[in-house]
Amino acid sequence: MPIGVPKVPFRSPGEEDASWVDINRLYRERLLFLGQEVDSEISNQLIGLMIYLSIEDDTQDLYLFINSPGGWVIPGVALYDTMQFVQPDVHTICMGSAASMGSFILVGGEITKRLAFPHARVMIHQPAGSFSEVATGEFILEVGELLKLRETLTRVYVQRTGKPLWVVSEDMERDVFMSATEAQAYGIVDLVAVE
């Protein structure tokens, strides 16, 4: 592998051999990656790329590959909202795991275009807050905000999975881990890739 600018082997359709291309080449092919915890930095980078690629050509789909342990709620919701806003369909592909906010972004892909690799894992649960050393008044405000966020996330899961509100609400009370086929049965993904 070449040293310097991060490069990956990439084989274009119709070519026999792969060549080393920089990561920007993958962006031009409309392939995006969330391979870390969701935070403001990665969320803003992906939002910027989605908007840029949408402006460049709003007829070609985007592909978001996800391998994420979760992360911050607000940056994740911003990314989800952008996926709904941009004109091109956003395919979501779970490879490895999509846990917590990662599963929320996974379910946000265009319905019928959400995929999980055969050995992928998906986990849903309610959003959590950290309330250490918070004054009582602020604690009450933060709990209220956390409950609003939980309601928002629950409504999205209900809308995009087709599951009843009571099922999603009950499942979000704890960590619910799913295989790729279980995530398909739940409605988080539409397809499981074949080996």
Side-chain angles (χ1 to χ4, degrees), residues 105-127:
I105 293 166
L106 176 63
V107 82
E110 184 66 28
I111 294 176
T112 74
K113 297 181 180 182
R114 303 169 300 180
L115 175 99
F117 285 179
H119 300 104
R121 303 292 296 165
V122 175
M123 188 270 283
I124 65 171
H125 66 179
Q126 63 185 321

Side-chain angles (χ1 to χ4, degrees), residues 75-158:
V77 170
L79 183 54
Y80 169 85
D81 284 344
T82 303
M83 292 165 60
Q84 307 314 305
F85 171 76
V86 294
Q87 190 66 35
D89 289 347
V90 179
H91 298 242
T92 50
I93 301 104
C94 178
M95 48 182 205
S97 86
S100 189
M101 189 47 58
S103 70
F104 184 75
I105 293 166
L106 176 63
V107 82
E110 184 66 28
I111 294 176
T112 74
K113 297 181 180 182
R114 303 169 300 180
L115 175 99
F117 285 179
H119 300 104
R121 303 292 296 165
V122 175
M123 188 270 283
I124 65 171
H125 66 179
Q126 63 185 321
S130 57
F131 302 113
S132 60
E133 301 179 26
V134 175
T136 304
E138 289 180 32
F139 175 79
I140 292 169
L141 290 173
E142 286 191 26
V143 167
E145 185 61 23
L146 190 62
L147 290 172
K148 288 177 193 172
L149 286 170
R150 184 187 196 281
E151 183 181 322
T152 299
L153 298 181
T154 303
R155 276 187 286 128
V156 168
Y157 278 113
V158 166

Side-chain angles (χ1 to χ4, degrees), residues 18 31 51 57 123 145 152 167-168 190:
L31 305 174
I51 291 172
D57 182 352
M123 188 270 283
E145 185 61 23
T152 299
V167 170
V168 175
D190 307 299

